[in-house]
Structures are given as C-alpha cells and as structure tokens.
Amino acid sequence: MTDAAGVFARYPGAARDEAVDADGRVRAAYGPVARVLQELGGVGLTATSGAMAQERRVRGVVFGSFVDGRMVERAFPLCPVPRVVPAEDWAHLSAGVEQRTRALNAFVADVYRKGGRRRTDPDPHADIVRAGLVPERVVTASPGNRPAAVGFAGPGQQRITVAGLDLLHGPRGWVVLEDNLRVPSGIGYALANRDSGRAALPQLYGPAEAAGLVDPGEAVALLRAALADAAPPACTGTPQVALLSDGPGNTAWFEHRLLAEAMGVPVATPSTLWPTPSGGLAVQVAGERLPVDVLYRRFDEADLAAHLTPLGTPVDVLLAEAVRAGRLAVANVPGNGVADDKAVYRYVREMIRFYLGEEPVLADVPTWVLADDGDRAEVADRLHELVVKPVDGYGGAGVVFGPHCSAAELAELHALVAATPHRFVAQEPVDFSTVPTVVDGVVVPRRADLRVFAVAGRTATRALPAPLTRVALEEGSLLVNSSRGGGSKDTWILPG
C-alpha cells in the first residue's frame, strides 16, 4: 500500500472502499492507477473526463430509457478511473458465475422438459419440484413462465446461451444480487468502455496492457463460438449467426450494432426476415437473402408477436416454425424468465446442490418470498429494515429501501404487501463497496456493482472477461442502473 496523494489526497478512504483503505492508503491493486492520476492532477483529470465524454458522443455510445412511454437516448457516462479486479477475485467470480449459470440452465431445461408432457404425464412437475426443493407455485406463478416455449429449444441446446449476473462486493466478499437470463445487455458497453479508456489515457493503459491486463475483446470470440454451438443438427457447415434486434427503438440499439460488427455477423430486424423453401429462415442483407442458422435474440420475447415480417407473419410464429423444422436455433431461448425472477432467486443455491452436486461458490442475499406464509410472518415487522422488490421488477423499478422510508411510506408498503404478497420479495440490505469516481471534476467514493457475463455451449460454460461496472453518480445512492441515473467504468481484470 502507498499513501494517497494528488487527486486522492482528500479522498475519504474506508474499509468498504476498493481503492483507499480506512487509514488513507491506496490499496496495492490501485497503485498504478493512483500514480497516473497523481501526475494528471485535478486539472488534467477534468480535461481527460471532458475528452472522454466528447469521444463517446462522437461514437454514439448511448443507452435508451423510456420517458412517458417514449424511448429517449442518453449518453452513457464513463468515469475515467477504472475499477480494478485482482486476479484472485476474478478466479473466484468466474468459477461462481459459471457454476450458477450451469445450474440455472439445468433448472430451465427441467421445467420445460416436464412442461412438454403436461397433457399425458401424471406427474408433470419438474424434478426439483417433485423433490420438494422448489415450491410448485414459484414455477407456475412465475411471470416469466412460458409454457408455449417448450418446443423453442433444439436437441442438446442450452436455453441460456448468454447470462448476465449482477454482483456486489459486500462485507464478506462477493455476493450475487440477481440473475439476468432473458436478453442481458452490457457486453458491448464493456468493450466500448475499454476503447474509450485506452484512447483517453494511453499513459495508464499502455503499461497496464504491456503487463498483461486482460483484454475484454477476448469475449467476442467466446460469444460467437457459444452462439455457433447452438446451431441445429441440420447445419452441417460453419453456422451462420445473426443478431436479432427490433431496431432503433430498442434501448440497447447501440450495443446491438456494436456486437454484430465485432462478431462479423449481420443485424436482423423483423422487416428483414424471410422464410426459406427448406423451412428455415433468411435475413435480407444488401439485397440478398442470407440463410441463417442461429439468431442471437436481443429483444423481449413478449414483443416477438407484435412485430410482423414482410409477409405479414408475426416474428414469433416464423421463428417457431423454423425451430420446429430443425433449421434454426434462437439464443437466448424464450421462456428463460422462469428462472430469473426475484422469487426463484431464493432457490438457486438448492439448484446448484440438486443439479450439480456441488456447494455454491458465490454467496447470495438472504431473501424472503412474501407469498410464503412462513416467510411473510418472519419479516412482517422488519420491512423498515429490509429492501422490498417486485418479483418481476427490473432495472431498479419498484424497489423500496425500508431504511430510507418515512412512516407514511412504510404504512403504504405494509398495506401493499398485505394486499398482494405474491408480488414481492424482501431482502437484507447489502453494504456494498465504493470505488473512486469522478463527479464534477472531483474524485469521490460511489457505490458500484459488477455485471459478469457467461456463455454456455453444448459442453462448456465460460465467464466472459468483459464484466461491466455500473456506478451510482449521486452521493449516498444505491441505484447504479443506467436508467436510474447511473454511470459506468472500465473494468480491469489484473493478470494472474
């Protein structure tokens, strides 16, 4: 460790800060970063922040959010101070994320395999439900349960090809906050963040990359290989992959185009999809129809039916016909939401033990499913201490932090939970770490999470070396989501 100086001189270190400890010393992993920031000084850092923001405006690094029902694109703020993840932390994180993704894939396959026999099987429940480890109602009442999705996966295909797990660095280490298994976004932003950091601070990135700093660009080949691995049996050559987007109206349209370009595959939109004589699907590219084996789906399955192809066929119907014909694979497969709502989260540790015969590598947050009478009784008098989340909530929407509520707000929360307990879970708050973040030209501590991605092929599951750090920009805020005013950081994985 070294004494904090320069831009860190007045930085309030803490035991829960990842860069500066409670004694004001810069932690070893942040030593090279601190030295460059010290050389820059406050004026240089402000200039760097401005140059980085300008570079991202020129490149169009934006995200979308809905305001009054209308999608609005906004710049995705990037802090010039990278977040540093030591090699031993990454080894632990990647092992845990891979394990959790394997278990969740087994659970989704279990649910939909049994679901496909519901009309004739006298015991249609998933094996883990029959074993008494996951309550039946958690599966059947899940907002993401799609019985019609049973036939949407080909033989041997992993239903979750791309997973994105949100993690926090808590007092006792890394903890999983939630699983995102439908259309998780962020890989493209992680790639863009490295490009922006490298361009703005060559004096920092040059030595770090020469010393073996992990390149997030390695994730592109892993992602493309996992998508190709999902190809249907009818594909006998090199699989043709395309990225399926609903177009500029999508909040992650920037990322869709970036990832497609990085992988060297076309972007397909509903207006470019055509059936082929063999029962497959083609994408119109530059006036020609290109047969496609795998579609990397990047918009919500609930919207598939709302979009029509040039022949007037709803997209979900066209995809289903091509999948049933054995000519197409869709990744991620529709229906994965049965495994990533907040109620199912409570049982993932049991899934790991049941399907894999292993102990969980990563911790999770103590969670109570309020539809369960026992759980609800256990925390009925503790809502003022807990975080209450809607089962089907995403992006921080609907989350209520009990410790921050007024008496009136708590009374309203109690009434809402009492009237519709099935809509909510309650969780212990996590005192997660802070990282140094530039706000208005000053380096200050701000809360941050880490989204780690994994890809699953037919025989292997791999964590991608392109994690995305999201950071709260407001003092005291616990909400890091870009749609809630958060920003981002480049994430450094140090060499082992």
Side-chain angles (χ1 to χ4, degrees):
M1 299 182 186
T2 58
D3 290 337
V7 296
F8 279 159
R10 298 179 182 177
Y11 187 87
R16 300 294 313 117
D17 190 82
E18 295 183 15
V20 181
D21 69 16
D23 295 324
R25 293 177 295 178
V26 176
R27 301 185 194 274
Y30 275 84
V33 175
R35 285 191 289 274
V36 170
L37 295 183
Q38 182 177 353
E39 293 170 1
L40 281 174
V43 174
L45 188 57
T46 299
T48 298
S49 298
M52 183 176 284
Q54 174 62 19
E55 181 263 350
R56 289 167 76 82
R57 281 194 293 271
V58 170
R59 291 177 61 207
V61 184
V62 297
F63 70 93
S65 59
F66 285 94
V67 178
D68 297 328
R70 184 171 58 92
M71 206 277 282
V72 177
E73 284 189 338
R74 298 173 178 169
F76 193 16
L78 178 67
C79 171
V81 183
R83 199 244 193 103
V84 180
V85 178
E88 57 271 25
D89 278 36
W90 179 247
H92 174 68
L93 285 169
S94 57
V97 166
E98 290 168 2
Q99 178 194 61
R100 196 170 174 100
T101 302
R102 286 187 289 124
L104 287 163
N105 251 321
F107 172 68
V108 178
D110 191 3
V111 167
Y112 289 114
R113 180 175 61 249
K114 299 300 178 182
R117 304 206 312 264
R118 286 188 189 279
R119 293 184 179 179
T120 58
D121 192 329
D123 187 358
H125 303 132
D127 289 342
I128 198 168
V129 172
R130 288 199 315 230
L133 299 176
V134 175
E136 178 185 3
R137 58 173 169 71
V138 169
V139 176
T140 58
S142 168
N145 190 356
R146 300 281 188 271
V150 169
F152 241 108
Q157 181 189 354
Q158 299 278 19
R159 299 186 78 98
I160 305 166
T161 300
V162 184
L165 276 60
D166 293 340
L167 298 109
L168 305 176
H169 196 202
R172 291 179 294 278
W174 292 96
V175 57
V176 179
L177 182 65
E178 66 179 39
D179 309 290
N180 299 281
L181 311 175
R182 307 180 195 195
V183 284
S185 64
I187 299 172
Y189 291 104
L191 300 177
N193 288 354
R194 177 58 54 88
D195 289 342
S196 296
R198 187 186 288 124
L201 286 168
Q203 69 271 45
L204 173 61
Y205 280 78
E209 292 180 325
L213 180 67
V214 175
D215 181 3
E218 296 173 8
V220 175
L222 293 171
L223 172 62
R224 199 186 193 293
L227 293 168
D229 209 24
C235 175
T236 56
T238 301
Q240 175 63 57
V241 176
L243 187 150
L244 178 62
S245 172
D246 49 354
N250 192 287
T251 58
W253 174 235
F254 163 80
E255 179 180 55
H256 296 177
R257 291 172 294 162
L258 185 150
L259 284 179
E261 181 179 354
M263 291 191 291
V265 305
V267 174
T269 58
S271 64
T272 64
L273 295 179
W274 295 85
T276 66
S278 64
L281 181 142
V283 176
Q284 188 150 333
V285 179
E288 296 186 5
R289 294 180 189 176
L290 177 69
V292 171
D293 302 295
V294 181
L295 276 180
Y296 176 25
R297 181 176 63 87
R298 286 303 310 266
F299 68 97
D300 196 294
E301 63 203 56
D303 295 330
L304 291 173
H307 290 277
L308 302 180
T309 65
L311 295 179
T313 307
V315 171
D316 62 335
V317 173
L318 184 63
L319 299 188
E321 290 174 348
V323 169
R324 283 196 296 268
R327 297 287 177 176
L328 178 72
V330 177
N332 282 347
V333 179
N336 288 350
V338 73
D340 73 359
D341 71 36
K342 304 299 188 293
V344 172
Y345 169 95
R346 154 84 179 274
Y347 302 97
V348 177
R349 296 179 68 82
E350 294 307 318
M351 294 178 197
I352 293 170
R353 297 183 179 106
F354 180 76
Y355 295 115
L356 308 182
E358 300 170 1
E359 283 301 305
V361 171
L362 293 169
D364 52 21
V365 182
T367 301
W368 292 267
V369 178
L370 300 186
D372 181 276
D373 292 341
D375 278 14
R376 190 167 65 256
E378 189 175 341
V379 299
D381 297 328
R382 293 189 56 213
L383 296 187
H384 63 287
E385 302 172 352
L386 303 175
V387 180
V388 177
K389 299 179 177 181
V391 168
D392 59 348
Y394 291 92
V399 175
V400 178
F401 293 91
H404 299 172
C405 287
S406 66
E409 289 168 336
L410 280 172
E412 183 179 351
L413 177 62
H414 276 277
L416 190 59
V417 167
T420 56
H422 61 281
R423 292 179 52 202
F424 302 101
V425 300
Q427 293 183 325
E428 291 281 3
V430 179
D431 180 21
F432 59 105
S433 59
T434 56
V435 293
T437 305
V438 178
V439 178
D440 296 329
V442 180
V443 180
V444 292
R446 291 292 186 263
R447 305 275 189 172
D449 77 349
L450 187 69
R451 177 167 289 186
V452 179
F453 302 92
V455 292
R458 292 180 185 271
T459 60
T461 298
R462 292 283 305 275
L464 298 182
L468 178 69
T469 291
R470 300 179 300 176
V471 60
L473 298 181
E474 295 184 8
E475 184 175 4
S477 176
L478 301 176
L479 292 174
V480 302
N481 312 76
S482 54
S483 59
R484 315 284 287 186
S488 184
K489 286 177 166 289
D490 183 23
T491 308
W492 283 18
I493 301 173
L494 298 184

